[in-house]
Every structure is written in structure tokens, then in C-alpha cells.
Amino acid sequence: MKSFSMIEIGQVGWIEKDKPTAGILDAIVRPLAVSPCTSDIHTAFEGGLGDRHNMTLGHEAVGEIVEVGSEVKDFKPGDRVVVPAITPDWRSIEAQDGYHQHSNKMLSGWKFSNFKDGVFAEYFHVNDADMNLAKLPEEIPLTTAVMITDMMTTGFHGAELANIKIGASVAVIGIGPVGLMAVAGAFLRGAGRIFVVGSRQNCIDVAKSFGATDVINYKNGDIAEQVLNATNGKGVDSVIIAGAGTEIMKSAVKMTKPGGTISNVNYFGEGEIIPIPRIEWGCGMAHKQIRGGLCPGGRLRMERLINIVKYGRVNPGKLVTHVFNGFGNMEKALLLMREKPADLIKPVVIVD
Ligand code: NDP
Ligand code: ZN
């Protein structure tokens, strides 16, 4: 079968691979729609995870099941499914402890295009199908559904980690697709005032539609100063980081109130150290919590997010700005994600 792979750091392309086979609990899925992620760019072009050779890229897909193992109970060939980016080993001590994202090892719940072949191939393997897949309701379009697998769960996790109280002030740094879903998540969690930091107009428009109240352009000077000026020098209760490089932590800490929370869902693809500014962190005594996490995956998480879409709470389909028909466009879509033209939020490739 054909696989769109990271051949080595800096080089991607189509290669031939053996079709995967299902173990007794697993499924083999044929993708119907896929989307490249900024994380694929960090992994393939920046070597964010270290060396990977001939590894199929991609972790955002909805698809059709073509094969299931003998012990799979709830799914059968022909079912259309939402496949979470994170497909943990649910029989692990870490999952039992509440951190399925790190089942067996740090970040190991993230298997696709990290510890095993990803979803940009004619077929891909899903471990523990009953625990990791969710049925795709008829009424949700494929392009919208593929946004649930990673963008929605990640952005919402940013809001979950941010300890948002009803009426609280929140700043979302970065309003690419992840940050936009964090805005929607902060709104659902009851934020009163939501600052967003970005520069591209189409992202700002979507951010406002998801509940942003104040827009800060990082190209117009220090973003922490801008947020402090707008809040009588107090700062915000919660900051969600969903963009920029490691230096952004300095701004995030600076614009957070004492007792506030900094929530990071960025994948810092480069650099050795993430700097915490000493004075703004109260010389270590400001009670400003810094948290960060990989998005939750698995079946229950997907089913809950599907409900949010199905019952009209949030429409993640707004993120999709470019739709390509045909798997042959995979490279074009991935490179768009690298170039980030002004009109792009997320591209989707319809496979057939
Ligand atoms: P994008 O690159 O599309 O968006 C980045 C955003 O950050 C843009 O709004 C950009 O603004 C803004 N930005 C860039 N530089 C700065 C700066 N110096 N100061 C302030 N804002 C800045 O990324 P995605 O939304 O696709 O992804 C965000 C991050 O989330 C990535 O690192 C990705 O790898 C990671 N990720 C993490 C996951 C997890 O589980 N934790 C899962 C999925 C993704 P503008 O465009 O206006 O210039
Ligand atoms: Zn991703």
C-alpha cells in the first residue's frame, strides 16, 4: 500500500509499505478524510521528536473500518469512525492513574506518527478499537469530523488545564486551529472576557465568532504589556498558550495574575529550555501555576466531543479553509501547513 511518510528529518514523500494487520482487539481503517497538523511539521521538518525513518505521517483522520480483530465487540467492517489522535494502551498503570496520554511512557498514548505509522496511508492500524474509536454520526460532514480528532480535543484541553472560573478573564496566545478551539473551550467553560493573540484576519474573525472579546496583535509590541494595559495592570486569571516559540512563556507568566494558571498545549519543537521569568513569577512565590498537556484521546472523549458538534454547541468546521479532493494532494496540503498563508486555518484532504 501507499504511505505518505517522513523519510528522515526534512524529507517527506510517498513510499510503499505492507498493509497492516489487526490483532484480536484492533481494527484496520481506510481513511476517508485526513488533515495535516502543525505537529506533523514539527516532527517532519524540525525533528521535534528526534529521528524517525520511513514513518507514515498524520494523526488526524476519520475513516471506514475494513477489518476488526476477533474480540472487537462494538465495531464491524463498514462502520464510519472518528479516530482520535491519541490511542492509548488502556491496560497501563498510567491510564489507571488518570494519564492515558502517557500510557507506558511519556507521550506514548500518542502513537500515530510518533511511535507507530500514522494515518496518511491507504490503511492504518488502530489498537484497542472498542476503547479508541467512536462512531461518526451521519449528520456530521467528514471535513468537520476530522477537526474533532485533534484540534478540538487539544484546544479544549487547553481550556480544561486553565482552571477557568465562571466569568474569569482568559488570554489565548495563538489563534491557529488549536488556539481557536481553545477560545471555544474557554467560552463553554464560562470565561467572561477572552483576549486572543494573533495577527491574521480570518483567524480573528473565527475567534470572535467563538467568543473572543479583545484582540491583541503580537506584531504591535509586547503582548504582556498590551494585556496588562487593558486590565489596569492586573493581568488575566488564565493564559492558554497555543502558538509561538519557547520565549512565549515569559509573556504568559507576565500577563497572569498571582494565583492564576498558565496552560500550555503548544508542542515546542525547538530549543533546550523553556524560560520562566524570575521576577514575574514572584521570585518563585507568585502562586502562578504552569501546566501543560497532550490532548486526551480514546472513545469516551471522542463521543463527548461529537455530542458538542452534533447538538450544535460549537462548529469546528469553521476551521476548514482548504479542501483537497484526492490523496495525491497530501504533500500540497502538508506544505500549506508549513507555509501558513494568510488565508489558511486548516486544510483537509478527502481521500477518495
Ligand atoms: P498555528 O501555527 O496554526 O498557529 C499558531 C498561532 O500562534 C497563530 O495564531 C500565530 O499568529 C500565533 N503566533 C505565532 N508567533 C507568535 C508570537 N511570537 N506571539 C504570539 N503569537 C504568535 O498552530 P496550530 O494552531 O496548528 O497549533 C498550535 C500548537 O499546538 C502547535 O505547536 C502544535 O504542534 C500544537 N499541538 C499540540 C497538541 C497537544 O496535544 N498538546 C496537539 C496538536 C497540536 P499568526 O498566524 O497571526 O501569525
Ligand atoms: Zn496534531
Side-chain angles (χ1 to χ4, degrees):
M1 67 165 192
K2 288 192 171 51
S3 134
F4 187 77
S5 287
M6 163 178 182
I7 291 152
E8 59 182 7
I9 296 172
Q11 199 192 343
V12 299
W14 287 100
I15 58 173
E16 280 293 324
K17 286 209 174 215
D18 291 339
K19 185 180 167 190
T21 51
I24 55 172
L25 294 171
D26 308 336
I28 303 301
V29 175
R30 176 176 80 84
L32 297 172
V34 299
S35 181
C37 177
T38 304
S39 301
D40 291 310
I41 304 302
H42 294 315
T43 301
F45 297 108
E46 296 163 13
L49 298 170
D51 260 353
R52 297 285 190 277
H53 291 275
N54 296 334
M55 176 183 76
T56 309
L57 285 166
H59 49 261
E60 299 183 16
V62 291
E64 182 186 275
I65 295 181
V66 295
E67 181 189 334
V68 292
S70 57
E71 298 298 314
V72 174
K73 295 182 180 65
D74 298 338
F75 297 91
K76 58 181 187 322
D79 285 350
R80 293 183 358 142
V81 286
V82 174
V83 186
I86 307 303
T87 52
D89 294 318
W90 291 98
R91 285 173 57 86
S92 67
I93 295 298
E94 292 82 3
Q96 203 169 88
D97 209 14
Y99 290 96
H100 66 262
Q101 294 95 323
H102 308 290
S103 62
N104 295 323
K105 190 177 160 198
M106 190 162 63
L107 302 181
S108 280
W110 173 18
K111 297 182 185 303
F112 292 128
S113 67
N114 183 10
F115 292 108
K116 77 174 199 188
D117 279 328
V119 302
F120 298 163
E122 288 180 85
Y123 302 96
F124 61 86
H125 169 271
V126 180
N127 57 298
D128 204 343
D130 282 327
M131 290 293 101
N132 281 324
L133 292 174
K135 294 215 171 102
L136 170 62
E138 287 273 310
E139 57 268 54
I140 302 180
L142 293 177
T143 48
T144 302
V146 77
M147 294 300 107
I148 299 172
T149 62
D150 186 7
M151 297 301 95
M152 202 171 175
T153 182
T154 301
F156 279 23
H157 196 46
E160 288 163 335
L161 290 175
N163 284 328
I164 297 168
K165 297 188 179 76
I166 288 186
S169 52
V170 178
V172 179
I173 303 178
I175 44 169
V178 170
L180 288 170
M181 292 318 312
V183 174
F187 182 81
L188 284 180
R189 290 221 141 198
R193 187 177 186 186
I194 304 177
F195 290 87
V196 293
V197 180
S199 73
R200 290 182 289 153
Q201 192 56 44
N202 62 340
C203 297
I204 292 169
D205 293 342
V206 177
K208 285 182 176 165
S209 81
F210 283 154
T213 54
D214 298 69
V215 178
I216 305 269
N217 188 335
Y218 68 95
K219 294 180 177 165
N220 292 345
D222 187 315
I223 61 169
E225 289 299 331
Q226 294 187 62
V227 170
L228 289 166
N229 286 340
T231 54
N232 297 322
K234 293 282 190 194
V236 289
D237 298 300
S238 302
V239 173
I240 303 171
I241 304 176
T246 52
E247 291 290 308
I248 203 66
M249 190 59 76
K250 293 182 184 167
S251 309
V253 171
K254 190 171 169 187
M255 69 173 78
T256 303
K257 284 182 191 170
T261 304
I262 297 119
S263 153
N264 177 71
V265 284
N266 224 357
Y267 164 0
F268 291 117
E270 293 173 297
E272 289 297 310
I273 302 286
I274 300 171
I276 299 173
R278 185 179 65 86
I279 298 292
E280 288 82 0
W281 210 40
C283 307
M285 299 176 280
H287 290 105
K288 298 186 187 183
Q289 284 190 58
I290 300 176
R291 312 174 80 195
L294 179 65
C295 61
R299 176 174 175 172
L300 180 61
R301 175 72 165 184
M302 289 301 111
E303 288 179 349
R304 286 182 172 158
L305 297 181
I306 287 167
N307 271 346
I308 288 177
V309 179
K310 183 173 166 182
Y311 295 104
R313 308 278 181 229
V314 172
N315 175 14
K318 288 183 190 173
L319 306 180
V320 181
T321 50
H322 294 61
V323 179
F324 294 94
N325 288 303
F327 225 172
N329 291 303
M330 199 60 246
E331 183 158 11
K332 214 185 275 176
L334 182 79
L335 294 181
L336 257 188
M337 212 52 194
R338 186 186 190 187
E339 290 152 20
K340 301 267 157 77
D343 62 342
L344 176 89
I345 302 181
K346 267 293 256 194
V348 170
V349 177
I350 303 291
V351 172
D352 274 336

